[in-house]
Amino acid sequence: MEHLELKEGFRFHPTDYEGLSYLLRFVAKQEMHDAGFITTNIDVYGNEEPWEIYSQGVPSGGSGDDDNSSYRYFITKLKKSTMTYHREVGNKGNWKQQDKEKPVYCNMGNSSSELIIGCKKSMRYVNKEHKDGDWLMKEYELSKVILQKFDEDCRDYVLCAIKNKPIDTCSSETSTTTSDNVSEETDEVTGFADFVLATSNDNNM
């Protein structure tokens, strides 16, 4: 996809909800309307190192992209061994999860409760043989309720956002919120998926 003409200073930085919406459209084989910022033909869990993967992603704009400190986005398929996923990458490295996965919420507007539409995991590249900087990744996965709508070979795709952690800075990736009124009702969650896939996205970036 060709890039849209973007205003000076624009930076592609989707919210958790928007990221999962892009992933949902990809799994459903619809146009993502991401202006070409999400790379879909790179294996994030393959033989290449994080910096090699990053170099093949699309720059997201903004002033920090030249120093690898801005996220670049990839949709890739998880690798499954028997019934578990593994996240090895490059030469004897792996993406290590840093904390408990966080739910991603959506409010459809016609309900007092928020729906859990997926989750986000924060990861860090770990490799004892290399010291090439602190590479970080956010991995987004759709709710299993939503994935049941699709064929099994489409259910292992995730959205990954990769960057290099700047020196002497602290991360504050906290766009996910918590709620005391959360719904995981199957009909409501699948209703979200139907709504996103039926909506004509005119690219509101």
Side-chain angles (χ1 to χ4, degrees):
M1 179 191 296
E2 293 184 0
H3 287 282
L4 300 177
E5 290 188 13
L6 303 172
K7 295 180 180 179
E8 184 178 353
F10 172 84
R11 184 165 66 101
F12 181 71
H13 189 65
T15 64
D16 296 344
Y17 165 82
E18 290 170 335
L20 283 177
S21 296
Y22 293 134
L23 178 60
L24 174 59
R25 291 191 178 92
F26 174 85
V27 171
K29 300 179 181 178
Q30 292 188 358
E31 186 67 51
M32 290 190 293
H33 301 287
D34 65 316
F37 284 101
I38 299 177
T39 304
T40 60
N41 59 348
I42 302 297
D43 187 358
V44 173
Y45 300 106
N47 296 323
E48 294 183 299
E49 301 291 353
W51 48 94
E52 295 172 323
I53 297 168
Y54 186 89
S55 68
Q56 298 175 74
V58 179
S60 59
S63 60
D65 209 69
D66 291 339
D67 61 2
N68 302 335
S69 63
S70 293
Y71 281 112
R72 294 185 183 181
Y73 294 81
F74 305 83
I75 290 179
T76 191
K77 201 166 189 178
L78 291 172
K79 303 293 178 64
K80 184 180 289 186
S81 177
T82 61
M83 295 301 293
T84 60
Y85 294 114
H86 60 85
R87 292 176 170 80
E88 286 84 1
V89 61
N91 182 22
K92 299 181 180 180
N94 67 81
W95 291 108
K96 182 178 180 181
Q97 189 168 334
Q98 296 299 289
D99 51 22
K100 185 177 179 180
E101 66 182 43
K102 298 177 181 179
V104 178
Y105 300 97
C106 168
N107 190 313
M108 291 291 291
N110 57 355
S111 173
S112 60
S113 62
E114 292 188 305
L115 308 177
I116 296 177
I117 59 173
C119 65
K120 175 178 71 173
K121 299 180 178 74
S122 297
M123 300 187 177
R124 177 176 174 270
Y125 175 68
V126 176
N127 190 332
K128 294 181 179 178
E129 296 186 3
H130 297 279
K131 295 183 179 179
D132 294 284
D134 198 0
W135 286 89
L136 305 178
M137 182 171 78
K138 298 184 293 185
E139 180 192 275
Y140 295 89
E141 181 180 3
L142 287 164
S143 161
K144 290 180 174 56
V145 174
I146 294 174
L147 292 175
Q148 291 300 316
K149 294 171 61 68
F150 304 101
D151 294 337
E152 190 170 351
D153 64 343
C154 297
R155 298 177 189 172
D156 293 335
Y157 284 99
V158 291
L159 172 68
C160 298
I162 299 174
K163 73 172 183 178
N164 187 267
K165 183 179 179 181
I167 298 174
D168 294 330
T169 62
C170 297
S171 175
S172 59
E173 304 293 341
T174 57
S175 57
T176 303
T177 60
T178 59
S179 174
D180 294 329
N181 193 11
V182 176
S183 173
E184 295 185 80
E185 290 294 329
T186 299
D187 290 343
E188 292 182 349
V189 176
T190 55
F192 154 79
D194 293 338
F195 171 78
V196 170
L197 297 178
T199 300
S200 175
N201 187 335
D202 295 324
N203 198 322
N204 295 319
M205 293 185 301

